Amino acid sequence: MSREIVVLGAGMVGVSVAWHLVRQGHSVTLVDRREPGRETSFGNAGIIQRESVRPYAFPRDLGTLLRVIPNREVDIRYRPGGMFSAASPLLQYWINSGKSRYAKIVPQYASLIMRCLDTHAPMIEAAGADHLVRRDGWLELYHTRKAFDERITEAHENHDRYGVEFEVLDAAGLYAKEPHLKKGLEGAIHWTQPWTVADPGALVQAYAENFQQQGGRFLKAEVQEVEKSGKGWKVTTDRESLEADQLVVALGPWSDKLLSRQGISLPLFVKRGYHMHYASADENAHLNHWIMDAETGFLLEPMRAGIRLTTGAELAGLDAPPKFKQLKAAERAAGKIYPLGERRDPEAWKGARPCLPDMKPIIGPAPGQDGMWLAIGHGHQGFTLGPVTGLLLSQMMAGETPEVDMAPFSATRF
Ligand SMILES: Cc1cc2nc3c(=O)[nH]c(=O)nc-3n(C[C@H](O)[C@H](O)[C@H](O)COP(=O)(O)OP(=O)(O)OC[C@H]3O[C@@H](n4cnc5c(N)ncnc54)[C@H](O)[C@@H]3O)c2cc1C
């Protein structure tokens, strides 16, 4: 039965949900105040992370904590105000990162990650977006033998349990693949399955255009309010009001602003990140792959706009003004492994990963709100997980049994 459905938020998650719903034959309106894929789904590192079966845990070892506390690192920075306002979810995040709880979370998280390529593939094909996607994996670089060996051990476990494919490169193997990296690295893990996207925002835009070609409607408008109306929902925007049988909230890091007005309190917090594009200092130098300096915590991505440098996490409030010291530190560290040239953007991009304390997204019905569905909190891997979220949520909304056990992703767990 065809229904009127409104999807709020046109990031990778909302666009993917809308794409699946329109294919089921529903009349779908996708609403965003910006063009699709212009926020968090624009500025990320653009990796469809098939290797990332373990979500990013709160570091609990003393060595990492002592390293991070002076607040000068590239991988993690914090602002006391941001830590204070998110104290409760951060404490839960810390608790969930303990060994036994984390061990239960990993297979649940992996059940989504393992489907990421299979769910992006039909969307890429339908959208004619193949020119944006590379299928030759990415490289995780190591400076020290000890960290490299530990990661290789974990990679073997991930291979055995979750089918993660990789190749270990010694220094010679690494420099054969990336001859313009500066010498001194110990080696790398080449994750061979992931796909990389040369313009992440353009991929979301292509998916959104394909959604419209299939009969979906995109409305560029600011969502102001949602309220129950008869058996469905009324959505008030600054452009027009919409009536819907069903409503999907996929507003990424802004989701709790709307949900809290509905009396739904979820422990969402953000990990912010920055990016900047660069030329190569040496005009003959180039990168063949996306690379991550795993021990420092930044990535370099050869994108359409130049070499994109993305930072690790900044624990700060969503609306706190940007601070560029973390990016500067990443820039200095990146310059030690690659000849980075001049900056190409007038100012750095800032975004916010929408996070939940048990590292898993919420995908399913909103508690106590008949006809409202949630697709939020995809943290470090929302670009990867948008399409599988769209598939599974559309199956739930159709009353079908989804391919994956969805209990671990229910909002009722909070
Ligand atoms: C530096 C960095 C690197 C990353 N790298 C990767 C990576 O390599 N791979 C990966 O899988 N993930 C990565 N991520 C995470 C990923 O980018 C996010 O998880 C994902 O983009 C979240 O998508 P979303 O659709 O939930 O949110 P968004 O993309 O932020 O979409 C939410 C949308 O809601 C709209 N909106 C909000 N409020 C309103 C309103 N009131 N009215 C109308 N519209 C509204 C916004 O305009 C926005 O378009 C990275 C993140 C960062 C910050």
Side-chain angles (χ1 to χ4, degrees):
M1 189 185 62
S2 170
R3 288 178 293 194
E4 288 289 333
I5 303 179
V6 172
V7 179
L8 306 182
M12 178 56 96
V13 175
V15 168
S16 300
V17 171
W19 189 90
H20 276 280
L21 290 171
V22 87
R23 272 175 106 87
Q24 283 183 341
H26 301 298
S27 168
V28 184
T29 304
L30 174 65
V31 188
D32 202 301
R33 60 187 168 208
R34 302 192 64 183
E35 292 297 324
R38 300 311 294 173
E39 291 284 358
T40 332
S41 301
F42 166 84
N44 57 64
I47 310 177
I48 301 175
Q49 292 188 261
R50 173 60 181 86
E51 87 298 340
S52 192
V53 290
R54 294 173 196 248
Y56 195 92
F58 200 115
R60 288 174 53 123
D61 63 289
L62 192 60
T64 306
L65 291 174
L66 291 175
R67 177 174 68 74
V68 165
I69 283 169
N71 219 5
R72 284 196 214 101
E73 295 300 313
V74 173
D75 56 345
I76 309 171
R77 294 246 173 160
Y78 59 90
R79 304 229 200 138
M83 297 284 281
F84 185 71
S85 57
S88 169
L90 287 174
L91 176 64
Q92 290 176 53
Y93 180 25
W94 162 274
I95 292 168
N96 284 318
S97 300
K99 217 173 171 182
S100 63
R101 284 184 185 237
Y102 185 71
K104 286 192 189 124
I105 289 168
V106 171
Q108 298 170 350
Y109 196 72
S111 72
L112 299 182
I113 290 284
M114 288 165 78
R115 286 167 171 80
C116 67
L117 300 178
D118 293 348
T119 46
H120 269 280
M123 294 182 71
I124 292 168
E125 194 187 339
D130 214 44
H131 60 288
L132 295 171
V133 182
R134 284 176 50 175
R135 293 177 173 79
D136 53 359
W138 64 278
L139 306 179
E140 194 173 299
L141 314 181
Y142 283 86
H143 296 264
T144 65
R145 193 69 237 172
K146 184 170 176 290
F148 192 22
D149 283 343
E150 282 170 7
R151 189 62 166 152
I152 293 169
T153 304
E154 194 174 85
H156 280 290
E157 284 171 24
N158 292 346
H159 169 78
D160 296 347
R161 288 188 196 164
Y162 307 115
V164 172
E165 304 285 349
F166 65 97
E167 193 187 339
V168 176
L169 303 175
D170 60 10
L174 167 61
Y175 290 112
K177 284 198 189 291
E178 294 293 351
H180 301 290
L181 287 180
K182 295 185 182 174
K183 300 297 172 218
L185 289 157
E186 184 71 29
I189 296 183
H190 181 187
W191 304 108
T192 52
Q193 292 160 309
W195 296 346
T196 50
V197 179
D199 185 342
L203 185 66
V204 180
Q205 180 82 45
Y207 289 172
E209 279 165 16
N210 188 244
F211 154 78
Q212 290 172 85
Q213 282 154 13
Q214 296 179 71
R217 176 183 178 222
F218 174 67
L219 173 65
K220 190 172 168 193
E222 171 89 27
V223 178
Q224 294 170 327
E225 214 51 73
V226 299
E227 59 194 299
K228 282 294 282 175
S229 165
K231 286 191 176 160
W233 288 88
K234 180 178 172 199
V235 178
T236 307
T237 77
D238 61 350
R239 298 274 307 279
E240 59 184 89
S241 290
L242 303 164
E243 295 283 341
D245 303 314
Q246 309 251 305
L247 182 65
V248 179
V249 179
L251 293 168
W254 294 274
S255 299
D256 58 344
K257 294 195 176 181
L258 182 103
L259 292 173
S260 57
R261 293 203 292 272
Q262 294 305 118
I264 303 173
S265 164
L266 293 168
L268 261 175
F269 65 101
V270 295
K271 290 189 197 172
R272 305 197 326 178
Y274 298 87
H275 88 218
M276 170 59 68
H277 293 101
Y278 301 83
S280 290
D282 170 352
E283 62 180 31
N284 296 315
H286 60 269
L287 283 174
N288 292 318
H289 298 83
W290 271 232
I291 59 167
M292 178 189 186
D293 184 328
E295 288 174 86
T296 313
F298 65 86
L299 281 115
L300 289 176
E301 305 112 26
M303 298 237 175
R304 287 214 293 210
I307 296 179
R308 181 179 286 188
L309 167 66
T310 43
T311 64
E314 182 191 38
L315 293 168
L318 177 61
D319 299 322
K323 275 195 182 173
F324 299 114
K325 286 185 175 169
Q326 191 177 14
L327 180 70
K328 282 238 166 214
E331 200 175 86
R332 280 193 297 276
K336 290 182 186 158
I337 63 164
Y338 184 78
L340 271 193
E342 82 271 9
R343 289 180 165 206
R344 284 197 169 163
D345 306 328
E347 61 181 41
W349 173 87
K350 166 178 77 67
R353 302 168 181 90
C355 297
L356 286 159
D358 61 1
M359 296 156 264
K360 297 176 293 181
I362 293 174
I363 307 169
Q369 308 282 336
D370 203 20
M372 182 194 278
W373 300 81
L374 305 177
I376 58 176
H378 290 71
H380 287 253
Q381 269 92 40
F383 188 70
T384 300
L385 295 176
V388 66
T389 299
L391 173 71
L392 296 169
L393 190 67
S394 66
Q395 290 171 341
M396 292 176 95
M397 291 173 73
E400 296 165 8
T401 306
E403 293 168 21
V404 169
D405 175 16
M406 296 307 287
F409 310 106
S410 165
T412 55
R413 70 189 194 266
F414 295 112

